[in-house]
Each structure stands twice: as C-alpha cells, then as structure tokens.
Amino acid sequence: MIDTWAQIGYLISAVCFIVALKALSSPKSARRGNLLGAAGAVLAVIITFVAYKPDHLAAILVALVIGTIAGVVGSRRVQMTHMPQLVALFNGVGGGAAALVALMELGEVRDGETIAAIATAFTIVVGAISFSGSVVTFAKLQELMTSRPVTFPGLPVLFVAGTLGGVALSVWLVTDPRVWVGVLLCLVGLALGVMLVLPVGGADVPIVISLLNAFTGLTVAAGGYVLGNALLLIAGTLVGAAGTLLTKLMADAMGRSVFNILFGAVKGGSTLGGGVASERPVISGTATDVAILLGYAQRVVIVPGYGLAVAQAQHTLRDLVEELQGRGVKVDYAIHPVAGRMPGHMNVLLAEAQVPYEQLREMDEINGDFKSTDVVLVVGANDVVNPAARNTPSAPIYGMPILNADEAQRVIFLKRSMRPGFAGIENELLYDPKTTLLFGDARESLTKLLAAVKNI
C-alpha cells in the first residue's frame, strides 16, 4: 500500500515537471514554472524518505544540507553575467552523479540482464562525457582558459580511438558487468568529454552547454531504468528532449550544423576569428550627440548584448527607454536568439529590470522593421548585428541569421573598446558613415545619455 501511494506521489511530481517545462516557454510564466518544478522535486525527495527509508540516512542528510546551502548561496551571489557558467556546472554535476550511481549499481546487475547492463554502460560513459565536457565549458566561459578552439596534432585520431575504446568497453561491460571495467569506461568518458569541447570556441560554447544538458537528461533517464524509478525516467526524458531541441534551434540560429560546431575546428576550420582590435578610423560622439539623435527620433530599436549584462546596466537602460517613451518615441528591444551567453539571457536580464515583456521582440518578428527605424542603439552586442554573417563567406559566422541593424537610418554602438565580439571578427558596420560610437562602460554611458536626453 505504501508503494502504491509512493508511485502516485511520483506521478504528481512528474506532472509538476511537465507543467513546469511548459511554463518555462514564456517569461510571463517562467517564475511560476520554476517554483512548480522545485515543488515537484521536493515532493519526490520527501516521498523517497517516507516510503522507502533509505540506508545511510545520516550521510544523505548531510549531503542534502551541503547541497541546499551551496544552491542558496550560489543563486543569491552569482551575477547574471555568470549564469551560463553556473548552468554548465549544475549540468556537469548532474551527469557526474548519474555516472557514479550507475557505477554503484553495477554490483546489482546480474548475468542475463542485458537491457539493464546496456542502460548502465550508457549512463556511465555519457554521464562522464557530460561532466568533463561541462567543466571545460565552464572554464572557457569563466576565462580560466582560452575561449578559442584548442586543437593539437592527432586530436581526431585520439578522439576516434577513444570512441572506439568506449564502445568496446561498453560491450565488455554488458557481457561481463565488472566494476573495474565500469571505472575504465568512466575514465574514457571523461577523456572524450574534454576532447569533445576543447575544439569548440567563440559563441558556440553555449550551444555545447545545451547539448551536454541533453546528454545529462538521457543519462538520468537511463539511470531511472536501471533503478526502476519511473520519475527519473520521465524527468530525464524531458530534459533530454528539451536539450536536444534547444541545441538544434540554437544551431539553426547560428546558421550551422551541430556537427560543424563540434568538429569544425578539428577539420581545419574555426569557430572563432582573429580577435585583434582594428586601428581603422571610426566616428565617435559624445553623450550629448547621441542624446540628440535619440531624443528627436520617432522610432528607436534597442539591441542588447553581453556587454549590457557585464556592466549590469539593464536598469539604467530601462530608465532611458522610459524617458524616450515619455517624449513620444516608439521604442522596442530586438532580441537575437543567441544574444548573451545562453538562450534567453537577454530576456531574463531585462525582466530583472522590470522591462515589459511586450517590448521584447524576437529577431524574426522585428527584422522587417529596421528599414523604417530612425536609430538603432546597440548596447554591448556585436556579432548579432555583424553584416559579415550575410556578406563574407570566409567569416566564421557566415550564414548566421542576424538582426538587420544596418538597414536603419542611423546606428549607435555603446562599446568599451574596439575589441571584436565573442566570435573574434571585425564588424564592418562600425566603420559605416551612418554609425556613431560612444565609448565607455555601458552603465556610465547610459547614465550620461539619460541625463543628456532629459536636458534636451
């Protein structure tokens, strides 16, 4: 009877996860979806404790306390600029945990249980790939190592050899489930994860995070099968499917295939440009110059990017927009699918500043409006408005759909310096005669702009 009630409780938790995922599809309901998903997870943990009375209770409770403290501290201290790194770490921990659970369950796999052995081998190797690969993506985004593609002679051969070795060890583990074989398979998976992510550079790193997230979901689902836990099976399948779809959508937004993103540098191409600042002359202006352009415009479009997040300037930007709207200027925000360092980064950042969701317009929706736009204000973005994506076949971002900012009457860039964007290539729009640059920290520049607009 207890087991029946436990399964009903797990079913309720699973429904919470499904409804939460649906709610996360819109910024309006995302907060509610997050709370619902967390409630489902808490319910599942309580059910497990009450119904099944796990062994080693003291150690489990200590781990729960440590994890809770780390989660609370992390969520409160980590800035929005570092959120992609946090997501990468959390994802890696999930994959590593799944691999460790599968290793511990090896002793329970009996001869003849082929499906369980296959699921266990899959969980070990893919979970290890997800863990080590996520650690490398964290290091790239945190600038603990270069964000440029890292390759070396023999990498393709080594990667193929590791893949074949992983397959061979997996077959061995299925036919003879020994713990030491599982440990070897885990080590091979860790090496494969590192080799998979090292050649990825530039703006492609967030796409790899999404792919590794899908890997983690699949390992959790496989682990649910091994443990006979339907809730893990459902939750892992949800994460795996969502991560896979997101990876495909992001790759499409970059105009490239997932295979090219992962192995383009290995084949001799590159997902990152030179990264050298140009000394070509540009037109720069003062805050007053830019304020006059904005204050007397009829239509203004804001293009936010990672620089806005770094400067924590979203609140000042909102104040500037409200001031312009008070003067009768029509203002919208143009959101590129991969602006920032993760999907939805700009949406969350602007929602934090209480920017109305109705003002946030996606790329496909707003691209046709740039021709009738008086001024485009680019705040901390670069690659998502770079015409090289359309005009320069040799550019690393060629084929990536971009915001058509170059079609507007005037363009204003708020930039700290002339350094290229994350893709490491020059933006020809910076040298266009209709473009004005306002140099400085984004928050300081926006503060000066706000004061100047008020004085017009």
Side-chain angles (χ1 to χ4, degrees), residues 398-455:
Y398 181 71
M400 180 182 84
I402 61 169
L403 293 164
N404 297 331
D406 56 322
E407 296 180 352
Q409 300 300 311
R410 297 297 298 266
V411 181
I412 300 168
F413 274 86
L414 268 57
K415 289 181 67 68
R416 185 184 293 272
S417 70
M418 286 299 294
R419 286 184 59 189
F422 201 44
I425 58 176
E426 280 192 344
N427 187 344
E428 290 297 324
L429 185 56
L430 296 173
Y431 309 100
D432 193 295
K434 67 181 178 183
T435 298
T436 301
L437 277 69
L438 180 59
F439 289 105
D441 174 80
R443 184 160 58 179
E444 294 178 1
S445 295
L446 287 169
T447 301
K448 293 176 182 178
L449 267 180
L450 177 59
V453 170
K454 289 181 178 179
N455 290 331

Coordinates of all heavy atoms in Angstrom, one line a residue, residues 398-455:
Y398 N 29.5 33.3 -41.0 CA 28.8 33.4 -42.2 C 27.6 32.4 -42.2 O 27.7 31.2 -41.9 CB 29.7 33.1 -43.4 CG 29.0 33.2 -44.8 CD1 28.6 34.4 -45.3 CD2 28.7 32.1 -45.5 CE1 28.0 34.6 -46.5 CE2 28.1 32.2 -46.7 CZ 27.7 33.4 -47.2 OH 27.1 33.5 -48.4
G399 N 26.4 32.9 -42.6 CA 25.2 32.1 -42.7 C 24.4 32.2 -41.4 O 23.2 31.8 -41.4
M400 N 24.9 32.9 -40.4 CA 24.2 33.0 -39.1 C 23.1 34.1 -39.3 O 23.5 35.2 -39.8 CB 25.1 33.4 -38.0 CG 24.3 33.7 -36.7 SD 25.4 34.2 -35.3 CE 25.5 35.9 -35.6
P401 N 21.8 33.9 -39.1 CA 20.8 35.0 -39.2 C 21.2 36.1 -38.2 O 21.5 35.8 -37.0 CB 19.5 34.2 -38.8 CG 19.8 32.8 -39.0 CD 21.2 32.6 -38.7
I402 N 21.1 37.3 -38.6 CA 21.4 38.4 -37.7 C 20.3 39.4 -37.7 O 19.3 39.4 -38.5 CB 22.7 39.2 -38.2 CG1 22.5 39.7 -39.6 CG2 23.9 38.3 -38.1 CD1 23.6 40.7 -40.1
L403 N 20.3 40.4 -36.8 CA 19.4 41.5 -36.7 C 19.8 42.5 -37.8 O 21.0 42.8 -37.9 CB 19.4 42.1 -35.3 CG 18.8 41.3 -34.2 CD1 19.3 41.8 -32.9 CD2 17.3 41.2 -34.3
N404 N 18.9 43.0 -38.6 CA 19.2 43.8 -39.7 C 19.4 45.3 -39.3 O 18.8 46.2 -39.9 CB 18.1 43.8 -40.8 CG 18.0 42.4 -41.4 OD1 19.0 41.6 -41.4 ND2 16.8 42.0 -41.8
A405 N 20.3 45.5 -38.3 CA 20.5 46.9 -37.8 C 21.1 47.8 -38.9 O 20.9 49.0 -38.8 CB 21.4 46.8 -36.6
D406 N 21.8 47.2 -39.8 CA 22.5 48.0 -40.8 C 21.5 48.6 -41.8 O 21.8 49.5 -42.6 CB 23.5 47.2 -41.6 CG 22.9 45.9 -42.2 OD1 22.0 45.3 -41.6 OD2 23.2 45.6 -43.4
E407 N 20.2 48.2 -41.7 CA 19.2 48.8 -42.6 C 18.6 50.1 -42.0 O 17.8 50.7 -42.7 CB 18.1 47.8 -42.9 CG 18.6 46.6 -43.7 CD 17.5 45.5 -44.0 OE1 16.4 45.7 -43.4 OE2 17.8 44.6 -44.7
A408 N 18.9 50.4 -40.8 CA 18.3 51.6 -40.1 C 18.9 52.9 -40.6 O 20.0 52.8 -41.3 CB 18.4 51.5 -38.6
Q409 N 18.3 54.0 -40.4 CA 18.9 55.3 -40.8 C 20.2 55.7 -40.1 O 21.1 56.1 -40.7 CB 17.8 56.4 -40.6 CG 16.5 56.2 -41.3 CD 16.7 56.1 -42.8 OE1 17.3 57.0 -43.4 NE2 16.1 55.1 -43.4
R410 N 20.2 55.4 -38.8 CA 21.4 55.7 -38.0 C 21.6 54.5 -37.0 O 20.7 53.9 -36.6 CB 21.3 57.0 -37.2 CG 21.1 58.2 -38.0 CD 22.4 58.5 -38.9 NE 23.6 58.7 -38.2 CZ 24.0 59.9 -37.8 NH1 23.4 61.0 -38.1 NH2 25.2 60.0 -37.1
V411 N 22.9 54.3 -36.7 CA 23.3 53.2 -35.8 C 24.2 53.8 -34.8 O 25.2 54.5 -35.1 CB 23.9 52.0 -36.5 CG1 24.3 50.9 -35.5 CG2 23.1 51.5 -37.6
I412 N 23.9 53.5 -33.5 CA 24.8 53.9 -32.4 C 25.3 52.7 -31.6 O 24.5 51.8 -31.2 CB 24.0 54.8 -31.4 CG1 23.5 56.1 -32.1 CG2 24.9 55.2 -30.2 CD1 22.5 56.9 -31.3
F413 N 26.6 52.6 -31.5 CA 27.2 51.5 -30.7 C 27.7 52.0 -29.4 O 28.4 53.0 -29.3 CB 28.3 50.8 -31.5 CG 28.0 49.8 -32.4 CD1 27.6 50.1 -33.7 CD2 28.0 48.4 -32.1 CE1 27.3 49.2 -34.7 CE2 27.6 47.5 -33.0 CZ 27.3 47.8 -34.3
L414 N 27.3 51.4 -28.3 CA 27.9 51.6 -27.0 C 28.9 50.6 -26.8 O 28.6 49.4 -26.6 CB 26.9 51.6 -25.9 CG 26.2 53.0 -25.5 CD1 25.6 53.6 -26.7 CD2 25.2 52.8 -24.4
K415 N 30.2 50.9 -26.8 CA 31.3 49.9 -26.7 C 32.3 50.4 -25.7 O 32.6 51.6 -25.6 CB 31.9 49.7 -28.1 CG 31.1 48.9 -29.0 CD 31.8 48.7 -30.4 CE 33.0 47.8 -30.2 NZ 32.6 46.4 -29.9
R416 N 32.9 49.4 -25.0 CA 34.0 49.7 -24.1 C 35.3 50.0 -24.9 O 36.1 50.8 -24.5 CB 34.2 48.6 -23.1 CG 35.3 48.9 -22.1 CD 35.5 47.6 -21.2 NE 34.3 47.4 -20.4 CZ 34.0 47.9 -19.2 NH1 34.9 48.7 -18.7 NH2 33.0 47.6 -18.6
S417 N 35.5 49.2 -26.0 CA 36.7 49.4 -26.8 C 36.4 48.9 -28.2 O 35.3 48.5 -28.5 CB 37.9 48.6 -26.2 OG 37.7 47.2 -26.3
M418 N 37.4 48.9 -29.1 CA 37.2 48.4 -30.4 C 37.5 46.9 -30.5 O 37.6 46.3 -31.7 CB 38.1 49.1 -31.4 CG 37.7 50.5 -31.7 SD 36.1 50.6 -32.5 CE 36.4 49.8 -34.0
R419 N 37.6 46.2 -29.4 CA 37.8 44.7 -29.5 C 36.7 44.1 -30.1 O 35.5 44.4 -29.9 CB 38.0 44.2 -28.1 CG 39.4 44.5 -27.4 CD 39.5 43.8 -26.1 NE 39.3 42.3 -26.2 CZ 39.2 41.5 -25.2 NH1 39.2 42.0 -24.0 NH2 39.1 40.2 -25.4
P420 N 36.9 43.0 -31.0 CA 35.8 42.3 -31.6 C 34.9 41.6 -30.6 O 35.3 41.5 -29.4 CB 36.6 41.3 -32.5 CG 37.9 41.8 -32.7 CD 38.2 42.6 -31.4
G421 N 33.8 41.1 -31.1 CA 32.9 40.4 -30.2 C 33.4 39.0 -29.9 O 34.5 38.7 -30.2
F422 N 32.5 38.2 -29.4 CA 32.9 36.9 -28.9 C 33.4 36.0 -30.0 O 34.2 35.1 -29.8 CB 31.7 36.2 -28.2 CG 32.1 35.1 -27.3 CD1 33.2 35.2 -26.4 CD2 31.4 33.9 -27.2 CE1 33.5 34.2 -25.5 CE2 31.7 32.9 -26.3 CZ 32.8 33.0 -25.5
A423 N 32.9 36.2 -31.3 CA 33.3 35.4 -32.4 C 34.7 35.9 -32.9 O 35.3 35.2 -33.7 CB 32.3 35.5 -33.6
G424 N 35.2 37.0 -32.4 CA 36.6 37.4 -32.7 C 36.8 38.0 -34.1 O 37.9 38.0 -34.5
I425 N 35.8 38.6 -34.7 CA 35.9 39.2 -36.0 C 35.4 40.6 -36.0 O 34.6 41.0 -35.2 CB 35.2 38.4 -37.1 CG1 33.7 38.3 -36.8 CG2 35.8 37.0 -37.2 CD1 32.9 37.6 -37.9
E426 N 36.0 41.4 -37.0 CA 35.6 42.8 -37.1 C 34.1 42.9 -37.6 O 33.6 42.1 -38.3 CB 36.5 43.5 -38.1 CG 37.8 43.9 -37.5 CD 38.6 44.9 -38.4 OE1 38.2 45.0 -39.6 OE2 39.5 45.6 -37.9
N427 N 33.5 44.0 -37.2 CA 32.2 44.3 -37.6 C 32.2 45.5 -38.5 O 32.5 46.7 -38.1 CB 31.3 44.6 -36.4 CG 29.8 44.8 -36.8 OD1 29.5 45.0 -38.0 ND2 28.9 44.7 -35.8
E428 N 32.0 45.3 -39.8 CA 32.1 46.4 -40.8 C 31.1 47.5 -40.5 O 31.3 48.7 -40.9 CB 31.9 45.9 -42.2 CG 33.1 45.0 -42.7 CD 34.4 45.8 -42.8 OE1 34.4 47.0 -43.2 OE2 35.5 45.2 -42.5
L429 N 30.1 47.2 -39.8 CA 29.0 48.2 -39.5 C 29.6 49.3 -38.6 O 29.1 50.5 -38.7 CB 27.8 47.6 -38.8 CG 26.6 48.5 -38.5 CD1 26.1 49.1 -39.8 CD2 25.5 47.7 -37.9
L430 N 30.7 49.0 -37.9 CA 31.3 50.0 -37.0 C 31.9 51.2 -37.8 O 32.1 52.3 -37.3 CB 32.4 49.4 -36.1 CG 31.9 48.3 -35.1 CD1 33.1 47.7 -34.4 CD2 31.0 49.0 -34.1
Y431 N 32.3 50.9 -39.1 CA 33.0 51.8 -39.9 C 32.1 52.5 -40.9 O 32.6 53.3 -41.8 CB 34.2 51.1 -40.6 CG 35.0 50.4 -39.7 CD1 34.9 49.0 -39.5 CD2 36.0 51.0 -38.8 CE1 35.7 48.3 -38.6 CE2 36.7 50.3 -37.9 CZ 36.6 48.9 -37.8 OH 37.3 48.2 -36.9
D432 N 30.8 52.2 -40.9 CA 29.8 52.8 -41.8 C 29.7 54.3 -41.4 O 29.6 54.6 -40.2 CB 28.5 52.0 -41.7 CG 27.6 52.4 -42.8 OD1 27.1 53.5 -42.8 OD2 27.2 51.5 -43.6
P433 N 29.6 55.1 -42.4 CA 29.4 56.6 -42.1 C 28.2 56.9 -41.3 O 28.1 58.0 -40.7 CB 29.3 57.2 -43.5 CG 30.0 56.2 -44.4 CD 29.7 54.9 -43.9
K434 N 27.1 56.0 -41.3 CA 25.9 56.3 -40.5 C 26.0 55.8 -39.1 O 25.1 55.9 -38.3 CB 24.7 55.7 -41.2 CG 24.7 54.2 -41.2 CD 23.4 53.7 -42.0 CE 23.4 52.2 -42.0 NZ 22.2 51.7 -42.8
T435 N 27.2 55.3 -38.7 CA 27.4 54.7 -37.4 C 28.1 55.6 -36.5 O 29.2 56.2 -36.9 CB 28.1 53.3 -37.5 OG1 27.3 52.4 -38.2 CG2 28.3 52.8 -36.1
T436 N 27.7 55.8 -35.3 CA 28.4 56.6 -34.3 C 28.7 55.7 -33.1 O 27.8 54.9 -32.6 CB 27.5 57.8 -33.8 OG1 27.2 58.6 -34.9 CG2 28.2 58.6 -32.7
L437 N 29.9 55.8 -32.6 CA 30.3 55.0 -31.4 C 30.4 55.9 -30.2 O 31.0 57.0 -30.2 CB 31.7 54.4 -31.7 CG 31.6 53.0 -32.4 CD1 31.2 53.3 -33.9 CD2 33.0 52.3 -32.3
L438 N 29.9 55.4 -29.1 CA 30.0 56.1 -27.8 C 30.8 55.1 -26.9 O 30.3 54.1 -26.5 CB 28.7 56.4 -27.2 CG 28.7 57.1 -25.8 CD1 29.4 58.4 -25.8 CD2 27.2 57.3 -25.3
F439 N 32.1 55.5 -26.6 CA 33.0 54.6 -25.9 C 32.8 54.8 -24.4 O 32.5 55.9 -23.9 CB 34.4 54.9 -26.3 CG 34.8 54.4 -27.6 CD1 34.9 55.4 -28.7 CD2 34.9 53.1 -27.9 CE1 35.3 55.0 -29.9 CE2 35.3 52.7 -29.2 CZ 35.4 53.6 -30.2
G440 N 33.0 53.7 -23.7 CA 32.9 53.7 -22.2 C 32.1 52.5 -21.7 O 31.5 51.7 -22.4
D441 N 32.1 52.4 -20.3 CA 31.3 51.4 -19.7 C 29.9 51.6 -20.0 O 29.4 52.8 -20.0 CB 31.6 51.5 -18.2 CG 30.7 50.5 -17.4 OD1 31.0 49.3 -17.3 OD2 29.6 51.0 -16.9
A442 N 29.1 50.6 -20.3 CA 27.7 50.7 -20.7 C 26.9 51.4 -19.7 O 26.1 52.3 -20.1 CB 27.1 49.3 -21.0
R443 N 27.0 51.1 -18.4 CA 26.2 51.8 -17.4 C 26.5 53.3 -17.3 O 25.6 54.1 -17.2 CB 26.4 51.1 -16.1 CG 25.4 51.7 -15.0 CD 25.2 50.8 -13.8 NE 26.5 50.4 -13.2 CZ 26.6 49.6 -12.1 NH1 25.4 49.1 -11.6 NH2 27.7 49.3 -11.6
E444 N 27.8 53.6 -17.3 CA 28.2 55.0 -17.3 C 27.7 55.8 -18.5 O 27.2 56.9 -18.4 CB 29.7 55.1 -17.1 CG 30.3 54.6 -15.8 CD 31.8 54.7 -15.8 OE1 32.4 55.2 -16.7 OE2 32.4 54.2 -14.7
S445 N 27.9 55.1 -19.7 CA 27.4 55.8 -20.9 C 25.9 56.0 -20.9 O 25.4 57.1 -21.3 CB 27.8 54.9 -22.1 OG 29.2 54.9 -22.2
L446 N 25.2 55.0 -20.4 CA 23.7 55.1 -20.4 C 23.3 56.2 -19.4 O 22.3 56.9 -19.6 CB 23.1 53.8 -20.1 CG 23.1 52.7 -21.2 CD1 22.7 51.4 -20.7 CD2 22.2 53.2 -22.4
T447 N 24.0 56.3 -18.3 CA 23.7 57.3 -17.3 C 23.9 58.7 -17.8 O 23.0 59.6 -17.7 CB 24.6 57.1 -16.0 OG1 24.4 55.8 -15.5 CG2 24.3 58.2 -15.0
K448 N 25.0 58.9 -18.6 CA 25.2 60.2 -19.2 C 24.2 60.4 -20.3 O 23.7 61.6 -20.5 CB 26.6 60.2 -19.9 CG 27.8 60.1 -18.8 CD 29.1 60.1 -19.6 CE 30.2 60.0 -18.5 NZ 31.6 59.8 -19.2
L449 N 23.8 59.4 -21.1 CA 22.8 59.6 -22.1 C 21.5 60.0 -21.5 O 20.8 60.9 -22.0 CB 22.6 58.2 -22.8 CG 23.4 58.0 -24.1 CD1 23.1 56.7 -24.7 CD2 23.1 59.1 -25.1
L450 N 21.1 59.3 -20.4 CA 19.8 59.6 -19.7 C 19.8 61.1 -19.3 O 18.8 61.8 -19.5 CB 19.6 58.7 -18.5 CG 18.4 58.9 -17.7 CD1 17.1 58.8 -18.5 CD2 18.3 57.9 -16.5
A451 N 20.9 61.6 -18.7 CA 20.9 63.0 -18.3 C 20.9 63.9 -19.4 O 20.2 65.0 -19.4 CB 22.2 63.2 -17.4
A452 N 21.6 63.5 -20.5 CA 21.6 64.4 -21.7 C 20.2 64.5 -22.4 O 19.8 65.5 -22.8 CB 22.6 63.9 -22.7
V453 N 19.5 63.3 -22.4 CA 18.2 63.3 -23.1 C 17.2 64.2 -22.2 O 16.4 65.0 -22.8 CB 17.6 61.9 -23.2 CG1 16.1 61.9 -23.5 CG2 18.4 61.1 -24.2
K454 N 17.3 64.2 -20.9 CA 16.4 65.0 -20.1 C 16.7 66.5 -20.3 O 15.8 67.3 -20.1 CB 16.7 64.6 -18.6 CG 16.1 63.2 -18.2 CD 16.4 62.9 -16.7 CE 15.8 61.6 -16.3 NZ 16.0 61.3 -14.9
N455 N 17.9 66.8 -20.7 CA 18.3 68.2 -20.8 C 17.9 68.8 -22.2 O 18.1 70.0 -22.5 CB 19.8 68.4 -20.6 CG 20.1 68.3 -19.1 OD1 19.3 68.5 -18.2 ND2 21.3 67.8 -18.8

